[in-house]
Amino acid sequence: MISDAAQVKGRRLTWFSLQHKYAPYLFVSPFVVVFAVFGLWPIAKSLILSFYATNGPKSQVFVGLDNFRFLFRDADFVRAVWNTSVFAFWSVFLQLPLSLGLALLLNKKWMRGRELFRLAFFSPNLLGQVFVGVLFSVLFIPQYGLVNKALHAIAGRSVPLDTKWLADPNLVMPALVLTSLWMYSGFNMVYFLAALQAVDQELYDAALVDGANGWQTFLHVTLPGIKPVAVFVMIMSTIGSFQLFELPYIMLGNGPGPDRAGLTIVMYLYNTGFVTGDLGYASAVGWTLALGVLMISLFQMKASGAWKGASE
Amino acid sequence: MRELPYGKAALSMLVLAVLSGAWIYSHPPTEEKATLRLWVFANTHYNAYKAALPAFEREHPGVKVDMQLVAGTAVTSRLLAAFWADLDVPDLVETEISSAGMFFRGPLKDIGFVDLTDRVRDSGLWDRMVRARFSPYMSRGRIFGLPHDVHPVMLAYRRDIFEKEGVDVSKIQTWDDFVRVGRMLTIPNKRYMLEMTDTDSSLFEYLLFQRGGGYFDPKGHCIFDNDICVDTMCWYVPLVAGPGKIGNSLGGGQILTKAVEDGYILCLVAPDWRTKFFELDIPRVAGKMALMPLPAFTPGGRRTSTWGGTMIGITKRSRHKDLAWELAKFLYVEKTQVSPRFRESNILPAAKDTWDDPAFNEPRPYWSNQRIGRLYAEVAPDVPYQYTSPFIITAKVKLGEALVECVLYYKKHGNHGFRPFVKRALKKSADEVRKLIERNPY
């Protein structure tokens, strides 16, 4: 026969063991619940919505794949994809070399005031896209803007004072790329700087002993050393570029700019969802964008050998 | 506490959560007899109504008006979201003319605004107000908003420079006259006769309206590729892009201030509301500015157009619709309120019987002592109709795209094959809008 004290002890043990067994689930449950409600459910709901034509969330008509079919025939979407791709291309192929160059410069021990320069190059990123957009819209003003005045002073009549950077379809994209260059070069520079400082100094010493020149050292020591970070920065820059919205939206006066020169995919999504009011079509755009970015990122990882590096 | 191994803190939080939840549940928020929530997006309206609302509250004891100033760019998306979610919907909202059509998408029963058609007709406002101003706030023959204004358009010009150059504006009767003077006064890259843009439709549409054209017909069909628009485009583009260019635009805000002060732009499109902006933003040219009616496209033709506008709508979610209607009338057509407000805003109200107030006859020193209220009132009855659609924003963008294409073509090829190109460009743009309309299953 089991005594009362033993029974009480047994019950306490069971209670404690149950608590210890389920406590982890209890602790993670707030995150899981919040993520399910505000993360998973909207994602699932947007997928469902992409098969409907909607007027807000109340009126919905099932249209099957029609939203996707229309998407690829729509000249605006094609233009948005083109603009965004051009922006992404220049972002990666101008921004990253510039960021790396700045990082290499600031990594030199002989460089004076490195901390000051680091802060100066990084600080544009602290401002946010809206502020930067407003700032550059003023800089690009025709006739009186600083950009035109400076270029006119340097290049003379070949750059007229009333050059309309944000109102000329051919100049809108260069203006956006220049602005993002100013904003993000310093940000990416910090990643490269951290990567450069992590490259084993002994490898440089060995290269020096082997008689490698500066270019060879960069090519065979520095680049392989910073490759994982470079791939990461490239992928993040590409994803960021494909999500471009605030900068053109602010700089071009809440619209796509002249001849849709500043129309990006996210701006197109915003317009279809919150201007035209078709959330279903906007969802289709969103899913297409997500899949597109995923494919490009996978391609970049494969092309750069990032998977191979990870598996090793 | 061995039974509760997470400690006293967790127990305290649990107890607090239960107690506070119970208290909130047992004390639901109490409302006053009637609180009307009103959203406005224009600072000038907000200030004017703020002064007027105590009188309304005195006339309606127990009623409180909670007016909120919502940023112009945010009001549309906030209201759309509020309608969609049935949350945070105000009783009354002021909406800008170019976005009003967006709220008319879907079946009539789904429109978030109350159908005011019967109220407007029964109260006599249909006859009291400038009828053309209802058209932007109508859908499928029903009225969903009360117009705040008429916004007739005149031309503001630098009187001092015109006089110095010996130009007599009374002789400018038609656009042909205007262009002739413009060619005389324009100095490329230094001075332009008229504010015109080659990148969007914002400074093109008032000319289109003046000729009787528009984006949509009363049934919501897209019409901006008709002959009126083709003619207007063929007339407009050479003035802003060709060798005989007399128009230019550098942008708004401070740059416009500088451009007017420097005499870079001589004539500005001036709907009534914009004259107040000029007074506030370009004070250095006070006394040097004056207004003239728009030149007509044909002798004896229409001497005005319209640009901008605001409506007030009552939401279906409002629990005090009759009271909201009273407030809308008080703010928009009550003579004692509306007429004196002209002094602060320069905006001509839509109710015609309010225009005989002395406020409209006062000379304005900024405008070379012209009686601008009277000038606007004289042309106001002739403002053209403009119709809207849920696709109005897209239509504006598409017309702007066609304009840019025509400008690029004209810069390259001049008049050679220009008209057929304009036709094609406008049709292509209008077809894109039609394609979107056709997709709409409602």
Side-chain angles (χ1 to χ4, degrees):
Chain A
M1 220 174 140
I2 303 166
S3 69
D4 286 352
Q7 273 183 346
V8 170
K9 196 179 174 186
R11 273 203 303 272
R12 279 179 181 168
L13 275 174
T14 315
W15 173 231
F16 271 104
S17 62
L18 273 175
Q19 285 183 80
H20 283 286
K21 190 175 175 186
Y22 291 111
Y25 299 106
L26 190 72
F27 285 128
V28 297
S29 62
F31 167 76
V32 172
V33 170
V34 170
F35 178 66
V37 172
F38 295 105
L40 286 180
W41 169 241
I43 289 172
K45 179 71 179 168
S46 73
L47 182 63
I48 297 165
L49 264 181
S50 67
F51 299 109
Y52 285 84
T54 71
N55 174 39
K58 290 177 197 165
S59 317
Q60 301 179 354
V61 177
F62 183 76
V63 291
L65 289 170
D66 194 52
N67 283 336
F68 292 94
R69 272 196 290 270
F70 183 79
L71 188 66
F72 292 107
R73 290 200 317 267
D74 186 14
D76 281 352
F77 179 71
V78 174
R79 184 64 190 264
V81 171
W82 171 253
N83 288 344
T84 314
S85 306
V86 170
F87 179 84
F89 176 84
W90 288 115
S91 289
V92 172
F93 289 97
L94 274 182
Q95 217 175 81
L96 299 196
L98 185 65
S99 302
L100 181 58
L102 288 174
L104 285 168
L105 201 62
L106 294 187
N107 198 37
K108 298 290 179 199
K109 291 203 172 70
W110 49 262
M111 181 91 183
R112 284 187 180 181
R114 284 189 297 171
E115 288 75 16
L116 187 69
F117 282 115
R118 207 178 299 166
L119 176 69
F121 291 141
F122 180 75
S123 56
N125 197 257
L126 301 174
L127 300 176
Q129 287 198 21
V130 172
F131 186 87
V132 172
V134 172
L135 186 69
F136 272 79
S137 343
V138 176
L139 290 177
F140 282 125
I141 281 177
Q143 199 73 20
Y144 307 111
L146 278 181
V147 173
N148 277 352
K149 289 217 166 183
L151 290 175
H152 189 71
I154 296 165
R157 294 179 72 176
S158 58
V159 183
L161 267 179
D162 66 350
T163 302
K164 296 174 180 173
W165 287 87
L166 302 176
D168 182 333
N170 298 316
L171 295 179
V172 165
M173 190 52 71
L176 290 175
V177 171
L178 278 174
T179 308
S180 83
L181 207 60
W182 182 79
M183 193 173 175
Y184 290 113
S185 295
F187 181 71
N188 291 328
M189 177 202 73
V190 173
Y191 283 115
F192 283 123
L193 203 54
L196 285 171
Q197 286 165 0
V199 178
D200 193 348
Q201 187 57 42
E202 286 180 7
L203 294 174
Y204 287 109
D205 296 339
L208 197 65
V209 170
D210 288 346
N213 61 25
W215 174 245
Q216 288 168 327
T217 309
F218 174 74
L219 212 61
H220 300 293
V221 178
T222 308
L223 265 189
I226 63 168
K227 188 178 166 185
V229 172
V231 172
F232 170 77
V233 171
M234 185 172 67
I235 291 172
M236 293 312 286
S237 291
T238 310
I239 292 173
S241 301
F242 273 90
Q243 290 174 341
L244 182 71
F245 175 65
E246 296 101 313
L247 217 52
Y249 192 72
I250 297 293
M251 288 175 72
L252 302 172
N254 305 347
D259 202 25
R260 301 173 294 183
L263 181 68
T264 65
I265 302 175
V266 178
M267 195 190 285
Y268 178 78
L269 184 154
Y270 174 82
N271 285 342
T272 50
F274 297 99
V275 176
T276 319
D278 192 344
L279 294 177
Y281 186 57
S283 299
V285 178
W287 274 95
T288 310
L289 172 64
L291 291 175
V293 170
L294 179 69
M295 276 160 53
I296 291 168
S297 302
L298 292 177
F299 172 75
Q300 283 178 331
M301 289 176 78
K302 182 148 179 71
S304 59
W307 277 333
K308 197 179 161 195
S311 62
E312 282 166 358
Chain B
M1 279 292 133
R2 283 196 66 195
E3 293 291 329
L4 199 79
Y6 304 117
K8 290 177 185 172
L11 180 66
S12 313
M13 285 164 70
L14 186 70
V15 170
L16 269 176
V18 170
L19 287 179
S20 55
W23 192 87
I24 290 168
Y25 184 74
S26 60
H27 292 77
T30 51
E31 283 200 7
E32 304 200 14
K33 185 183 165 191
T35 299
L36 290 173
R37 198 141 52 92
L38 164 66
W39 283 2
V40 297
F41 66 89
N43 239 324
T44 45
H45 295 199
Y46 179 82
N47 291 331
Y49 300 163
K50 205 171 166 186
L53 287 176
F56 179 81
E57 288 173 345
R58 272 195 304 276
E59 281 178 25
H60 299 81
V63 175
K64 193 172 162 18
V65 181
D66 171 22
M67 181 171 58
Q68 297 175 1
L69 181 65
V70 183
T73 44
V75 71
T76 307
S77 45
R78 269 189 70 179
L79 189 60
L80 265 181
F83 280 154
W84 289 349
D86 266 346
L87 289 170
D88 196 31
V89 182
D91 297 274
L92 298 107
V93 195
E94 281 199 336
T95 305
E96 209 268 329
I97 195 167
S98 56
S99 53
M102 288 162 53
F103 297 101
F104 305 152
R105 189 180 152 96
L108 282 174
K109 68 173 178 59
D110 282 355
I111 293 176
F113 288 113
V114 172
D115 181 348
L116 299 177
T117 315
D118 296 336
R119 287 178 193 261
V120 167
R121 289 186 194 277
D122 295 347
S123 61
L125 291 180
W126 182 245
D127 296 317
R128 270 185 70 196
M129 302 179 96
V130 177
R131 205 167 282 178
R133 298 304 287 168
F134 283 105
S135 57
Y137 313 122
M138 293 175 75
S139 181
R140 286 154 278 188
R142 312 303 296 175
I143 300 168
F144 292 96
L146 213 52
H148 170 267
D149 38 55
V150 187
H151 289 339
V153 171
M154 299 185 79
L155 281 185
Y157 66 98
R158 281 288 300 267
R159 182 190 52 78
D160 55 332
I161 296 177
F162 270 52
E163 283 179 2
K164 196 176 146 197
E165 298 286 346
V167 176
D168 179 1
V169 292
S170 67
K171 290 185 177 158
I172 301 177
Q173 297 290 316
T174 65
W175 279 110
D176 287 342
D177 301 335
F178 184 88
V179 171
R180 208 172 301 124
V181 173
R183 299 233 194 277
M184 197 177 80
L185 296 186
T186 296
I187 306 167
N189 297 320
K190 284 194 175 170
R191 187 164 79 183
Y192 288 96
M193 178 68 167
L194 179 61
E195 180 189 25
M196 296 174 99
T197 171
D198 56 0
T199 54
D200 60 60
S201 64
S202 59
L203 291 170
F204 173 81
E205 67 175 30
Y206 78 95
L207 295 161
L208 184 62
F209 293 147
Q210 189 190 3
R211 294 177 85 134
Y215 294 98
F216 297 95
D217 70 7
K219 289 182 176 170
H221 300 131
C222 182
I223 55 160
F224 68 75
D225 56 348
N226 63 11
D227 285 344
I228 296 175
C229 195
V230 173
D231 290 343
T232 313
M233 189 68 85
C234 288
W235 175 85
Y236 183 94
V237 171
L239 297 179
V240 78
K245 168 175 172 169
I246 63 161
N248 199 3
S249 168
L250 300 176
Q254 291 173 341
I255 187 171
L256 180 67
T257 300
K258 187 91 173 82
V260 176
E261 283 175 357
D262 290 354
Y264 185 86
I265 303 279
L266 297 180
C267 296
L268 300 145
V269 187
D272 53 358
W273 58 269
R274 213 171 175 217
T275 58
K276 177 52 76 176
F277 282 72
F278 294 153
E279 289 173 17
L280 297 173
D281 294 347
I282 325 175
R284 284 189 192 167
V285 292
K288 298 175 182 172
M289 299 290 287
L291 293 171
M292 64 169 143
L294 280 190
F297 275 97
T298 50
R302 181 186 277 137
R303 299 292 303 267
T304 190
S305 183
T306 183
W307 183 13
T310 302
M311 67 160 237
I312 194 164
I314 299 168
T315 62
K316 282 180 179 164
R317 285 274 292 178
S318 173
R319 289 192 291 142
H320 312 287
K321 293 186 180 67
D322 291 335
L323 207 50
W325 173 244
E326 290 304 315
L327 178 59
K329 285 195 297 181
F330 177 80
L331 293 176
Y332 275 38
V333 294
E334 174 65 44
K335 212 169 173 180
T336 55
Q337 292 299 322
V338 170
S339 304
R341 212 184 290 156
F342 178 77
R343 290 195 184 96
E344 305 302 319
S345 66
N346 291 1
I347 293 174
L348 196 72
K352 290 175 279 188
D353 54 10
T354 60
W355 301 344
D356 55 9
D357 191 271
F360 296 96
N361 281 321
E362 290 166 2
R364 297 294 187 89
Y366 185 94
W367 298 100
S368 308
N369 283 324
Q370 285 180 310
R371 299 172 200 279
I372 66 167
R374 190 52 40 218
L375 289 176
Y376 279 112
E378 280 166 9
V379 293
D382 206 21
V383 292
Y385 281 73
Q386 56 171 312
Y387 300 97
T388 194
S389 149
F391 299 91
I392 182 72
I393 302 276
T394 309
K396 282 173 187 261
V397 171
K398 292 292 164 197
L399 182 58
E401 286 172 21
L403 174 65
V404 171
E405 281 182 34
C406 294
V407 165
L408 293 176
Y409 181 94
Y410 193 82
K411 279 181 178 170
K412 203 171 173 185
H413 305 285
N415 266 322
H416 182 72
F418 185 54
R419 192 176 172 86
F421 181 84
V422 169
K423 273 188 169 181
R424 282 199 303 276
L426 286 172
K427 184 170 182 330
K428 190 185 90 184
S429 282
D431 281 346
E432 286 178 25
V433 179
R434 291 188 190 108
K435 204 164 69 178
L436 278 178
I437 294 173
E438 278 164 20
R439 280 198 80 235
N440 181 19
Y442 303 102

